[in-house]
């Protein structure tokens, strides 16, 4: 009996995050005083239980916000309302990350995802970049960072020495071109995905914006980045290289997955329209339901029924692994949201706007400076989640600094995209470093360095073009 109690207690602790998610969603849909007081302590329990397994960055950020909280408490007469509001933001983003994580669980168990990925890998060299890049962007909307590991491992398996005709040079060239295609495709996700963390951060910190106001500007920006990457891949393609024939497969799985991604995205928009809620809140509802439905359909193959019971049992038995896998994303994204909600109210934005005017960082110049700050800070290890949250939260109305909100939003989203694929410290680079057994510095700064130096000034000019059209 004495041994049974620790097991039961541990089992209850495994459900801390799901309970936080449910309470947060209820408080958003049906505001009441009880739900937040369920979400707040359960999130704290989750963070404490997962502490030992967190990354150094996640631990450092949580310790920093704890120290900052103590400092602000000592300077304020009544800090409790500000802390509760900031902690509620933490709960929201923890729920958001975990909702997307459930979708990733279903995707990584899907045969359709594996088959569609194989179709992307087995393309003719001339079409490999656009298919892999666009395919990674589409898959990344559903799987997020998991797409790097999935496609990266497929590239390694398909790019064997025998498949390269016994030529190690062919093998190395194919590996580099395909990995850069995947990496640059992943960079398009923050600009394209209405389901992603980037969009949630922008819409939460810039209340005047909606997805339908950002999309007409973000989508052409993504097209520009894609076109520059494809052009560079074509210009730098190896000449006089004997390429072995490619064993192509039916493209049916790829179109099926694209249709599935469209259905899930449509479900989010439909949910937002029917319930009259903002897009990030609709994601919290539609994505877990879509994930459970998808998982249930997979479980049907085991024989009979709808598969819902088997899917529920899988989530129940593996809850520790499923929700524990999000520990670092929850800590970093939620902690960044908490930090932004804590710091922004104490900053005198009128004084800051006046200072920016005197320094010349006004209008599009501020957007360019903000973009460069996010990219440069990422190179020394500061996650773009932190820098973008703080910058986006500085001005509820960017007209104070002579700038349209959507221009600043797209500049920050572009910076987030570039930071993900140029910083050696990001999750994408860490995954590729393990897969390729190469330094993340080599991948980010040598393999993709030329793309970075071309695309950054291009995007700076693009910001001024957007400002002239929208200002």
């Amino acid at each position: 009996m004495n041994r049974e109690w620790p097991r039961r207690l541990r089992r209850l602790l495994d459900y801390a995050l799901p309970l936080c998610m449910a309470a947060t969603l209820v408080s958003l849909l049906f505001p009441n005083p009880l739900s937040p007081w369920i979400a707040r302590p359960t999130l704290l329990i989750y963070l404490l239980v997962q502490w030992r397994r967190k990354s150094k960055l996640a631990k450092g950020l949580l310790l920093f916000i704890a120290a900052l909280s103590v400092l602000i408490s000592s300077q304020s007469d009544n800090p409790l309302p500000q802390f509760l509001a900031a902690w509620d933001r933490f709960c929201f983003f923890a729920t958001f990350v975990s909702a997307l994580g459930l979708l990733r669980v279903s995707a990584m168990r899907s045969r359709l995802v594996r088959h569609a990925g194989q179709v992307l890998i087995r393309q003719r060299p001339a079409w490999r970049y656009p298919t892999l890049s666009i395919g990674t962007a589409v898959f990344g909307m559903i799987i997020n960072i998991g797409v790097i590991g999935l496609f990266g491992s497929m590239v390694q398996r398909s790019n064997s020495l025998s498949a390269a005709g016994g030529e190690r040079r062919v093998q190395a060239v194919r590996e580099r071109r395909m990995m850069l295609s995947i990496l640059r495709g992943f960079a398009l996700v923050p600009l394209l995905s209405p389901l992603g963390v980037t969009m949630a951060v922008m819409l939460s910190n810039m209340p005047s914006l909606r997805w339908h106001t950002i999309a007409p500007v973000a989508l052409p920006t993504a097209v520009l980045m894609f076109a520059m990457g494809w052009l560079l891949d074509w210009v730098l393609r190896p000449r006089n290289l004997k390429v072995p024939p490619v064993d192509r497969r039916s493209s049916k799985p790829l179109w099926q997955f694209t249709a599935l991604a469209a259905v899930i995205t449509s479900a989010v928009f439909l949910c937002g329209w029917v319930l009259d809620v903002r897009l990030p809140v609709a994601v919290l509802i539609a994505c877990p339901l879509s994930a459970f439905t998808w998982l249930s359909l997979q479980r049907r193959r085991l024989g009979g029924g709808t598969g819902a019971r088997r899917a529920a049992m899988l989530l129940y038995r593996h809850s520790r692994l499923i929700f524990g896998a999000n520990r670092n994303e929850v800590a970093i994204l939620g902690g960044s949201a908490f930090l932004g909600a804590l710091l922004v109210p104490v900053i005198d934005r009128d004084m800051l706007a006046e200072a920016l005017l005197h320094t010349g960082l006004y209008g599009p110049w501020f957007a360019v400076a903000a973009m460069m700050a996010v990219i440069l800070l990422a190179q020394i290890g500061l996650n773009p989640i932190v820098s973008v949250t703080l910058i986006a939260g500085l001005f509820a109305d960017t007209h104070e600094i002579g700038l349209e909100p959507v221009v600043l939003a797209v500049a920050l989203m572009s910076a987030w995209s570039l930071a993900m694929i140029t910083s050696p410290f990001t999750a994408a680079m860490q995954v590729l470093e393990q897969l390729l057994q190469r330094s993340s510095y080599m991948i980010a700064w040598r393999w993709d360095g030329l793309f970075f130096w071309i695309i950054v000034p291009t995007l700076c000019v693009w910001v001024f073009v957007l400002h002239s059209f929208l200002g």
Side-chain angles (χ1 to χ4, degrees):
M1 178 66 81
N2 291 336
R3 293 180 180 179
E4 195 66 26
W5 275 108
R7 291 179 184 176
R8 291 180 179 178
L9 178 61
R10 177 70 205 190
R11 198 67 187 153
L12 288 174
L13 294 179
D14 290 340
Y15 293 106
L17 185 57
L19 189 56
C20 171
M21 293 170 64
T24 300
L25 186 57
V26 169
S27 67
L28 289 170
L29 296 177
F30 312 102
N32 65 88
L34 178 61
S35 294
W37 285 106
I38 297 175
R40 292 162 184 162
T42 50
L43 176 60
L44 180 60
I45 291 171
Y46 172 79
L47 294 174
L48 293 174
V49 168
Q50 298 293 336
W51 177 262
R52 291 173 58 188
R53 300 179 182 88
K54 286 186 173 65
S55 66
K56 292 181 180 179
L57 176 61
K59 289 180 178 179
L61 181 60
L62 291 177
L63 290 174
F64 176 74
I65 64 176
L68 186 65
S69 299
V70 172
L71 178 62
I72 292 179
S73 297
S74 64
Q75 303 293 324
S76 176
D77 296 330
N78 184 25
L80 184 60
Q82 184 179 346
F83 282 120
L84 291 181
W87 194 254
D88 288 341
R89 289 287 294 277
F90 204 142
C91 291
F92 171 80
F93 278 101
T95 303
F96 189 91
V97 166
S98 302
L100 294 179
L102 288 174
L103 205 56
R104 188 163 59 211
V105 169
S106 301
M108 297 305 287
R109 292 174 175 269
S110 170
R111 292 181 185 176
L112 175 61
V113 170
R114 292 193 296 272
H115 293 164
Q118 287 288 349
V119 174
L120 289 175
I121 296 297
R122 296 179 179 276
Q123 294 292 324
R124 292 193 301 268
W127 288 99
R128 194 172 286 146
Y129 185 94
T131 52
L132 267 179
S133 185
I134 296 173
T136 302
V138 174
F139 277 63
M141 292 172 60
I142 306 299
I143 311 177
N144 204 339
I145 189 65
V147 72
I148 300 290
L150 176 67
F151 282 10
S153 60
M154 286 182 179
V155 163
Q156 287 190 310
R157 286 199 300 268
S158 66
N159 190 35
S160 62
L161 190 60
S162 60
E167 294 285 340
R168 293 194 179 277
R169 184 185 169 212
V170 174
Q171 185 184 30
V173 169
R174 286 176 63 176
E175 179 186 64
R176 176 170 176 169
R177 292 183 70 187
M178 286 195 286
M179 287 301 184
L180 288 181
S181 303
I182 292 170
L183 197 58
R184 294 172 191 168
F186 186 62
L188 302 179
V189 175
L191 290 162
L192 293 175
S193 177
L195 315 180
V197 169
T198 307
M199 187 62 68
V201 169
M202 302 315 305
L203 296 181
S204 298
N205 288 284
M206 304 180 76
S208 64
L209 295 178
R210 295 290 187 273
W211 183 83
H212 65 267
T213 59
I214 297 179
V217 184
L219 294 181
T221 307
V223 171
L224 176 64
M225 289 182 62
F226 166 75
M228 293 296 294
W230 190 4
L231 177 62
L232 188 62
D233 178 78
W234 183 81
V235 170
L236 298 180
R237 73 192 188 283
R239 272 76 169 179
N240 302 322
L241 194 65
K242 185 180 179 181
V243 180
V246 177
D247 178 23
R248 299 188 67 188
R249 298 189 176 188
S250 169
S251 60
K252 183 179 177 181
L254 182 58
W255 293 114
Q256 288 176 331
F257 180 81
T258 304
L260 176 63
V263 168
I264 294 174
T265 305
S266 300
V268 172
F269 285 108
L270 180 63
C271 183
W273 177 67
V274 171
L275 298 178
D276 192 24
V277 294
R278 298 196 72 188
L279 192 63
V281 179
V283 170
L284 303 187
I285 304 168
C287 283
L289 290 177
S290 299
F292 185 77
T293 303
W294 190 2
L295 197 59
S296 298
L297 292 173
Q298 295 172 27
R299 299 290 98 183
R300 284 185 65 189
R301 296 197 189 96
L302 299 179
T306 61
R309 182 179 177 182
R310 294 186 179 93
M313 288 302 297
L314 185 146
L315 294 175
Y316 171 75
R317 290 173 179 171
H318 299 283
S319 60
R320 179 188 300 182
L321 295 175
I322 290 171
F323 294 103
N326 301 319
R327 65 180 72 91
N328 290 321
E329 291 176 281
V330 166
I332 294 172
L333 180 59
S336 302
F338 180 92
L339 189 63
L342 205 61
L343 287 178
V344 168
V346 302
I347 296 174
D348 189 334
R349 281 175 282 188
D350 292 334
M351 184 180 296
L352 179 60
E354 186 176 349
L356 291 173
L357 179 61
H358 287 304
T359 59
L361 293 178
Y362 199 76
W365 288 106
F366 176 78
V368 168
M371 182 171 67
M372 295 305 301
V374 172
I375 295 172
L376 292 175
L377 289 172
Q379 307 308 310
I380 58 173
L382 185 66
N383 195 288
I385 292 172
V386 181
S387 51
V388 169
T389 298
L390 289 175
I391 295 173
L394 283 177
F395 297 101
D397 182 10
T398 57
H399 293 102
E400 298 173 5
I401 54 172
L403 188 64
E404 286 293 324
V406 69
V407 176
L408 178 60
V410 170
L412 292 175
M413 292 165 71
S414 301
W416 193 319
S417 294
L418 289 180
M420 289 194 315
I421 66 168
T422 60
S423 170
F425 303 99
T426 58
M429 285 299 171
Q430 297 304 311
V431 171
L432 281 184
E433 184 177 53
Q434 293 178 2
L435 277 173
L436 300 176
Q437 296 299 304
R438 298 177 186 271
S439 167
S440 57
Y441 294 92
M442 173 179 285
I443 300 169
W445 293 349
R446 290 186 61 184
W447 279 18
D448 216 22
L450 182 59
F451 176 73
F452 175 78
W453 290 112
I454 292 174
I455 198 64
V456 167
T458 303
L459 288 175
C460 290
V461 173
W462 178 244
V463 167
F464 278 88
V465 172
L466 292 176
H467 178 74
S468 66
F469 276 98
L470 301 174

